[in-house]
Amino acid sequence: MKKKIIVANWKLNGNTKTISNFLINFKLHVLPYLKYNTIVISPSTIYLERVYNNIQNLNIFLGAQNVDVNIKGSFTGETSILMLKDIGVKYVIIGHSERRFFHNETNEIINKKFDLIKKFNLIPILCIGESQDEKNKNQTKEALKNQLNHIIKHLGIQAFSNSIIAYEPIWSIGTGISADPIYVQKIHQFIKNYIYKNQNDINNIKNLSIQYGGSVNIKNAKNLLEQPDIDGLLVGNSSLIYEDFLKIIKISSDIFKKNNI
Ligand code: PEP
């Protein structure tokens, strides 16, 4: 079994004091679990460098929550891929439903960001997911296909090499209602089958992980991570409390150890 990738998405939370406190305690306890997981912390842009300075010597990686579609120039208020790379970012979350909804990000914009992240050799975490309405109407697979098709059409299936797709049902994000692990497993299988259409794709698309995100917590993490096609977790609220994030990492480590004896 390959290592699961556990990503903290801190969204618009934290300040110098809470982040220092988190990092001091997190670093004190996380060492025994580092070799069993890939761990990524994604703070708000303004705290990226602070977090990086604290984790760069450990095997913990830095994630950004967004990137602009432009590389440089007159785009007030934006952060470019060059800047993110310059300060040590390795992963970039794109397509999050909060950005699609609150910032009107379309599949076209997300596609441009995906392309840029790949061109600069960083790793995109592409969030896709269905709304409550789409779920009710049995349109989940269509919604996911539609979000994936933009990448496939413009960049080709090969673009998914060295990438992460985070399946995040919109009805589950921040609601406390996590999707059922068996349901998630089936959706992840569907996504994998949609991308790997034949043996050629299996040979050519390397290092694609499918993560789950949506109200993950210390109670549901085990059942989710035990599913064979859930390659990791994107954790929002539960990643803000260092004890909870650590527990999720410990659960992931135990599953890795159990499957690799
Ligand atoms: C997220 O924002 O990506 C997320 C999954 O949030 P939460 O865990 O709080 O539902």
Side-chain angles (χ1 to χ4, degrees):
M1 193 187 109
K2 65 177 181 180
K3 287 186 197 177
K4 307 255 183 189
I5 170 156
I6 312 293
V7 180
N9 177 13
W10 285 352
K11 311 191 189 188
L12 193 59
N13 294 296
N15 55 46
T16 49
K17 205 170 155 196
T18 60
I19 290 175
S20 289
N21 189 46
F22 180 104
L23 292 170
I24 289 167
N25 288 297
F26 187 69
K27 286 198 303 180
L28 211 58
H29 297 97
V30 78
L31 292 181
Y33 311 121
L34 289 178
K35 62 176 179 230
Y36 305 118
N37 306 276
T38 301
I39 301 170
V40 181
I41 298 182
S42 319
S44 167
T45 308
I46 199 165
Y47 298 120
L48 279 168
E49 203 164 6
R50 174 177 290 264
V51 171
Y52 184 67
N53 291 339
N54 274 276
I55 61 172
Q56 61 174 316
N57 296 327
L58 303 169
N59 220 0
I60 300 176
F61 301 98
L62 190 64
Q65 297 176 21
N66 186 29
V67 64
D68 191 38
V69 289
N70 300 290
I71 295 173
K72 63 176 189 165
S74 305
F75 303 99
T76 304
E78 296 298 344
T79 309
S80 85
I81 193 79
L82 286 173
M83 295 166 182
L84 295 180
K85 195 167 171 156
D86 188 35
I87 61 157
V89 166
K90 185 161 179 201
Y91 296 82
V92 187
I93 300 170
I94 50 169
H96 195 286
S97 58
E98 288 154 12
R99 290 212 60 87
R100 289 179 193 259
F101 186 73
F102 296 119
H103 301 272
N104 302 320
E105 289 199 6
T106 59
N107 283 320
E108 283 74 20
I109 293 172
I110 295 157
N111 178 56
K112 278 189 191 158
K113 293 185 176 187
F114 191 101
D115 191 22
L116 210 53
I117 296 165
K118 298 288 301 185
K119 277 197 177 120
F120 284 86
N121 287 322
L122 299 188
I123 301 174
I125 302 178
L126 171 70
C127 301
I128 58 171
E130 80 279 18
S131 65
Q132 182 70 66
D133 189 45
E134 286 164 333
K135 183 172 193 283
N136 294 346
K137 290 180 180 154
N138 249 326
Q139 292 172 348
T140 297
K141 289 180 180 168
E142 285 314 305
L144 299 178
K145 279 202 256 180
N146 184 38
Q147 291 164 41
L148 291 171
N149 282 346
H150 280 264
I151 310 283
I152 296 170
K153 184 171 161 215
H154 295 283
L155 307 176
I157 206 95
Q158 181 64 42
F160 286 110
S161 277
N162 299 315
S163 300
I164 297 173
I165 294 171
Y167 168 55
E168 296 213 308
I170 300 167
W171 48 269
S172 172
I173 296 174
T175 59
I177 303 164
S178 178
D180 177 71
I182 305 293
Y183 172 82
V184 179
Q185 164 63 21
K186 285 193 181 136
I187 296 290
H188 282 211
Q189 263 176 345
F190 165 76
I191 295 171
K192 284 187 182 172
N193 289 339
Y194 192 66
I195 289 178
Y196 299 107
K197 291 223 165 52
N198 51 44
Q199 190 57 40
N200 215 20
D201 294 336
I202 297 173
N203 295 340
N204 288 333
I205 303 164
K206 302 278 183 218
N207 295 326
L208 168 65
S209 297
I210 319 283
Q211 281 187 313
Y212 168 75
S215 297
V216 171
N217 59 36
I218 53 173
K219 291 197 183 124
N220 57 32
K222 181 168 184 288
N223 285 342
L224 286 162
L225 286 168
E226 275 175 347
Q227 303 303 319
D229 290 302
I230 300 185
D231 302 324
L233 300 171
L234 181 51
V235 189
N237 278 325
S238 294
S239 71
L240 293 169
I241 305 157
Y242 85 86
E243 290 99 328
D244 283 12
F245 194 51
L246 266 172
K247 272 187 202 151
I248 292 168
I249 289 166
K250 183 179 180 311
I251 290 166
S252 171
S253 305
D254 290 344
I255 291 172
F256 182 87
K257 283 189 254 178
K258 205 172 116 193
N259 283 281
N260 288 283
I261 36 172

